Amino acid sequence: MRLSRYFLPVTKETPADAQIVSHKLMLRAGLIRQTAAGIYAWLPLGLRVLNRIEQIVREEQDKAGAIELLMPTVQSADLWRESGRYDAYGPEMLRFKDRHEREMLYGPTNEEMITILFRDAVKSYRDLPRTLYHIQWKFRDEVRPRFGVMRGREFLMKDAYSFDLDEEGLRRSYEAMFVAYLRTFARMGLQAVPVRAPTGPIGGNLSHEFHVLAETGESAVYYDAALEDVTHEELLSADASTIARLTDLYAMEAEEHEKVTECPVPADRLRTRRGIEVGHIFAFGTKYSASMGMTVQTSDGGNVHPHMGSYGIGVSRLMGAIIEASHDDNGIVWPEAVAPYRVGLINMRADDGNVTSAADDIYGRLQQAGVDTLYDDRDERGGAKFATMDVIGLPWQLIVGPKGLEKGVVELKRRATGEREELSVESALARLTAA
Ligand code: 5CA
C-alpha cells in the first residue's frame, strides 16, 4: 500500500482524554477513532490488526474442533425471558423496541441464542459433543467505558459454546478450550496467566480468566512464581500434564485471593502483578439446557439436559493488551503475528527521480514476493517519515536514500530493537522474503 493513497490519520499530539499508553498509541497511530462514548470506528490500519488477531483466534478455535457460525447482534427479549436472564441482566443490556413495539436488545453475549439453535436441531446423543463459536460484535452499556477498546461499550468477542452429554465430557471440552487459549495468546507473543475465577452472572462452578500481565491492567493478580517458568514452547504444545500443572498452580484475582485464609503458596513464591482479562471460560453444566428445556436422547433411551460451557475472548480488547505489553517511547512494537504490515518501506527523497525509481522497484518486488508492505512514497521530510513508521510499529523498516544508493546499499531497521544494518538491495529482499 502506498501511503500517498492510504487513509492513515497519524497525529503527533498525545490525545488529552486517553489515560493509558495503548489508548494513546491507538489514537496517535491512526488505528481507531471514537464516535460515541465507548464506541469506536476501526480505521484501515487498525482493522488490519483486528483481522489478524481474529484470524489467530479462529485458527486455534478450528484446531480445537470448534465449528464457526454467525449469530446476529440483535436479539429478541423473549429469548432472554426463557432463561430468566432478561430481568436479571440489568442496565448493561441495551434494550429497544422495533416498529411493532416488540422488545429487542443488542446482544451482550449469546448463551440463550445458541441454546435454542442447538435445542431445535439436536435430539440424539449421536450429535454430541459439539462446540460452536462465532466472532461477533457485542454491546454492553458499561457504567464507565474507558481505556479505549479495553473497556468499550461496543466490542468484538469470540464466544464459543460446548454441548456434552455429561460432566466428564464437559470437562474434556473445557480443557480443549483451555489449551486453545494458551496457544492463541502465545501466538500473539503474550504472556497470559490462567486465573481461577468466580462465575458471576454467567453461572456455573468451574471458570478461568486469562490475564495478560501489564502494569496498566484493571485487575491485580496473585500467582505462584512457578507460572513464570512455563515456556512459550510448552504453551504452544500444551499436553495433559501442562494443563494439569497450569490449572493446579495458584493464580487468583485480588478479591478472591483476599478470601483465602491459608495461602498454599509460600510468601517468597507469591507474585502480584496487574493483569488485563483477555479471555474468560466457564463450565456451567445444565443451567441453560434445563431452564430452556433442551434435552437429548441417550444411547439407552433416556433423556438428559446437555452439559454446557461458554468460552469468551475479547478480540478488540486484545489489541489494547498487545500494545500495553509491546511498545516503547516511540510507539507501538507489533509482534510479527499481528502486525498490520510486515515492512515499512521509506523513500527518503520522493523528489529525487533515482531514489524514487529504486524505491518503486523494491516495492514492486516485495509485493510480488507477497510481503505485506506499507510504502511511504510521500514527499515529506525524512524525520517525519521515521516518526510515523516508529509510532505505527511495523516489525521492519527498509530505508532507501541517495547516500546509500551511491554505495549500493539500503538500510534495514528492526523496530523491536532499533538495530540498523546496511545491506545490498538483494540481501535486504532476501531477508524480508524469508519466512
Ligand atoms: N458468555 C461469556 C463467555 S462466552 C462472557 O460473556 N464472558 S465475559 O463477560 O467474561 O466476556 C468475555 C471477554 O470479553 C472478556 O474476558 C473480555 O476480554 C471481553 N470483554 C468483556 N467486556 C468487555 C468490554 N466492555 N470491552 C471490551 N472487551 C470486553
Side-chain angles (χ1 to χ4, degrees), residues 108-111 140 142 149-153 155 157-161 202 277-280 282 310-314 316-317:
T109 178
N110 285 65
E111 278 84 0
R140 292 183 187 174
E142 301 275 353
V149 300
M150 290 279 205
R151 185 166 294 281
R153 292 199 296 166
F155 59 95
M157 193 203 284
K158 182 287 297 180
D159 36 326
Y161 304 90
I202 309 281
E277 184 204 308
V278 291
H280 199 165
F282 307 82
S310 76
Y311 314 88
I313 289 183
S316 47
R317 176 180 287 188

